[in-house]
Amino acid sequence: MSAAAGNRLPATLPARTIAVAHGDGIGPEIMAATLRVLAAADPALTFHEVSLGLKAYEAGHAGGFDGDALDVIASHGVLLKAPLSTPQGGGFKSVNVTLRKTLGLFANVRPCVAYHPALPAPHPGMDLVVVRENEEDTYAGIEHRQTDEVVQCLKLITRPGCERIVRHAFEYAVANGRRKVTCMTKDNIMKLTDGLFHAVFEEIAPEYPGIATEHMIIDIGTARVATRPRDFDVIVTPNLYGDILSDVAAEVAGSIGLAPSANIGYGAAMFEAVHGSAPDIAGKDLANPSGLLLSAVMMLVHLGRGAPATLVHNAWLRTLEDGVLTGDVAAAGQVRRVGTQAFADAVIERLGQAPTRLRAVDYPSRTETTAAAPARTLSVARRPAADKQLEGVDLFLHWDQDGRSPAALGARLERIAGPDFSLELITNRGVKVYPNGNARTLCSDHWRCRFRAPAGVSPLAIAALMARAAHAGLDVIKTENLYRFDGKAGYSQAQGA
Ligand code: NAI
């Protein structure tokens, strides 16, 4: 883009109010700096302050939310949020998690960019975006202790959840002139959960013929992001992998302190820096406001306010290029080291200028249709229900007798199988230990016992089986039904089976 395009002052924009949370630690300082830049670039914006985190907690709001904060955020549809301190080992639950869940912020979008040569980076030209599913996976927070030795966390992946995040990644790619979307999963091991995510990716990809696609296993994918980040453009991945990968990518870009993020839902969106509240430097005018400022740029783009977004982003790039830097990124040499507020002043002074060596941006403007709704509807179609056949059950037992001998447990279970079932196998920690197990397998007190009824069985027969187990003194801690969906097994096979 030419410098002239970066010089354009925004045309008159409609008035828009956004919710802002000033946060804890360095939050108030970097928010003040960011709001001053926003006010200079987009005077039609107004800010409605909400109190979240420690401030709200100390004012007597046990959840970390001021009375009507959630309603205010929902009514404006957009929240610009400074980092919040999370008390460790007590206090209120994570406000971030509550916000994500209450507002349905299903997509976490994190651009990871190297700003070489303004900031020396190991991979000049790196410019990728991680689109992380934000609500499901092991983050559903469903955990149970089941035996003396074993705890479990439920990994939930839903088809609608996969459809909307994958579609969001492709829509993001189209809207931002990206060329490729890479899906990362571990479906070689988790064939059902990660397999569904990958399958949905393959189903949706043909709807975007202009975008190249690929799939990588998350472990090698993360390694490649660390060593060859320029090979990537947009990456879409489930929640846990995305959590780790996006930090790796931001670190590789050399700029975790500069990294912005967007949390997008259908009716609301939240924008925040990736870093935390940095209590060690709070109140000293040392903090870098860039992560929050770039998050505010993402917010303006999301709202269709392309002109002020372009203005702020280019002025920020120019500030870096001119060597005006906060202490966290200022290496020795030809730089002017400044504090938080002076950095904001330097960006404001450069509003209307574009970078000359770094790539300038030019965001499109559009009319905001509904409160922060994505440009194109991403609604998920309901599919017809599958033909579902019940063909057995996995009984999970807490059992610590007979020296934990699988053969002894097998003999007891064979006696309760009754006419409806046959005992197919027993596994411990997923590994088959009966029949014909390996004596070297480490056995915990948690056993999965698979009873099969290939001709089909009723739920009542399963209840009767559980009753026989209880009468035999066996401690059934949970069951999982074995279904076939349209003829296809809806459960994993045992390892070593
Ligand atoms: P942190 O990101 O706050 O700090 C890590 C290091 O980076 C510190 O040395 C800090 O001084 C430095 N740093 C962070 N942001 C900076 C900035 N803008 N400019 C210059 N230096 C910066 O991570 P930490 O120490 O693990 O967490 C502190 C608090 O922040 C905790 O209570 C944590 O729960 C919270 N937190 C909140 C987040 C959020 O609200 N989204 C995200 C991460 C942490």
Side-chain angles (χ1 to χ4, degrees):
M1 194 196 69
S2 69
N7 268 332
R8 270 200 317 257
L9 285 168
T12 310
L13 283 162
R16 180 68 162 92
T17 303
I18 59 162
V20 297
H22 288 251
D24 305 313
I26 58 171
E29 298 162 68
I30 59 174
M31 183 59 88
T34 299
L35 296 188
R36 285 199 298 116
V37 177
L38 284 182
D42 188 350
L45 271 188
T46 49
F47 311 113
H48 188 156
E49 186 178 345
V50 293
S51 179
L52 306 178
L54 273 186
K55 224 193 285 174
Y57 184 65
E58 281 160 12
H61 301 287
F65 287 86
D66 203 356
D68 61 350
L70 273 173
D71 291 340
V72 169
I73 296 165
S75 71
H76 295 308
V78 169
L79 170 67
L80 181 63
K81 180 178 139 311
L84 305 173
S85 299
T86 309
Q88 285 170 350
F92 53 93
K93 274 166 75 170
S94 164
V95 171
N96 287 327
V97 174
T98 308
L99 279 171
R100 262 181 228 159
K101 302 226 157 162
T102 325
L103 300 173
L105 308 179
F106 64 86
N108 184 290
V109 181
R110 279 200 195 181
C112 300
V113 181
Y115 298 103
H116 196 90
L119 300 176
H123 299 281
M126 171 182 180
D127 182 1
L128 63 82
V129 181
V130 179
V131 178
R132 161 189 168 194
E133 200 289 319
N134 220 12
E135 294 183 299
E136 304 193 341
D137 199 344
T138 47
Y139 289 60
I142 306 174
E143 294 192 299
H144 297 94
R145 178 171 175 181
Q146 299 194 317
T147 67
D148 286 327
E149 293 177 350
V150 176
V151 287
Q152 74 162 22
C153 175
L154 203 56
K155 171 165 167 142
L156 278 179
I157 302 281
T158 70
R159 175 170 269 279
C162 295
E163 288 179 1
R164 63 185 183 175
I165 191 67
V166 167
R167 208 171 277 289
H168 187 80
F170 278 104
E171 289 289 330
Y172 180 93
V174 170
N176 291 278
R178 300 276 177 168
R179 296 174 315 282
K180 183 171 77 169
V181 179
T182 305
C183 173
M184 292 195 192
T185 70
K186 187 85 184 168
D187 67 340
N188 54 333
I189 304 293
M190 281 156 279
K191 296 180 196 299
L192 286 183
T193 48
D194 284 16
L196 176 60
F197 195 96
H198 186 179
V200 168
F201 178 77
E202 299 295 343
E203 283 167 27
I204 288 177
E207 294 177 32
Y208 299 86
I211 306 283
T213 59
E214 66 182 348
H215 175 267
M216 289 178 117
I217 300 297
I218 184 69
D219 39 11
I220 186 64
T222 307
R224 287 277 156 77
V225 165
T227 54
R228 288 154 49 178
R230 278 168 298 199
D231 290 356
F232 297 93
D233 204 345
V234 175
I235 301 170
V236 64
T237 188
N239 203 342
L240 177 60
Y241 309 141
D243 195 359
I244 298 163
L245 179 68
S246 55
D247 270 21
V248 170
E251 188 80 13
V252 171
S255 61
I256 201 158
L258 309 182
S261 77
N263 291 269
I264 310 282
Y266 287 138
M270 173 178 85
F271 300 84
E272 63 176 344
V274 165
H275 62 74
S277 58
D280 51 334
I281 55 166
K284 298 178 179 162
D285 193 41
L286 290 173
N288 189 341
S290 298
L292 187 60
L293 187 62
L294 293 179
S295 305
V297 168
M298 293 181 82
M299 177 193 74
L300 292 173
V301 173
H302 180 75
L303 293 174
R305 302 170 94 87
T310 303
L311 207 61
V312 173
H313 201 156
N314 282 337
W316 179 81
L317 290 166
R318 182 61 181 261
T319 307
L320 292 195
E321 231 178 51
D322 288 349
V324 182
L325 302 171
T326 46
D328 55 312
V329 287
Q334 300 290 321
V335 297
R336 202 180 110 211
R337 187 185 278 248
V338 294
T340 313
Q341 302 309 324
F343 183 83
D345 293 337
V347 175
I348 293 168
E349 277 163 27
R350 287 164 179 76
L351 288 173
Q353 296 180 30
T356 54
R357 284 171 297 150
L358 295 171
R359 192 154 49 90
V361 299
D362 189 8
Y363 297 112
S365 293
R366 60 177 168 76
T367 309
E368 192 186 349
T369 41
T370 59
R376 208 174 110 178
T377 175
L378 303 180
S379 62
V380 171
R382 288 286 300 274
R383 296 160 68 91
D387 176 37
K388 187 175 160 195
Q389 303 285 339
L390 182 59
E391 60 179 16
V393 65
D394 280 347
L395 293 192
F396 288 77
L397 302 184
H398 181 179
W399 189 72
D400 191 13
Q401 296 166 20
D402 302 329
R404 297 189 182 178
S405 153
L409 179 59
R412 290 183 69 173
L413 291 171
E414 300 280 8
R415 288 199 288 277
I416 65 159
D420 294 321
F421 296 95
S422 62
L423 175 66
E424 182 175 292
L425 52 77
I426 303 172
T427 67
N428 200 295
R429 298 182 304 130
V431 181
K432 191 182 90 168
V433 292
Y434 177 90
N436 308 320
N438 185 327
R440 283 189 295 273
T441 303
L442 171 67
C443 287
S444 71
D445 58 0
H446 184 269
W447 307 80
R448 189 260 305 260
C449 313
R450 176 159 290 176
F451 289 88
R452 174 95 57 183
V457 70
S458 75
L460 284 177
I462 291 176
L465 175 67
M466 288 173 66
R468 290 197 292 280
H471 280 124
L474 293 168
D475 181 6
V476 178
I477 48 168
K478 75 160 186 170
T479 62
E480 293 285 354
N481 289 353
L482 306 178
Y483 291 109
R484 216 158 255 282
F485 289 83
D486 289 335
K488 204 169 159 204
Y491 47 89
S492 58
Q493 304 304 318
Q495 289 161 351

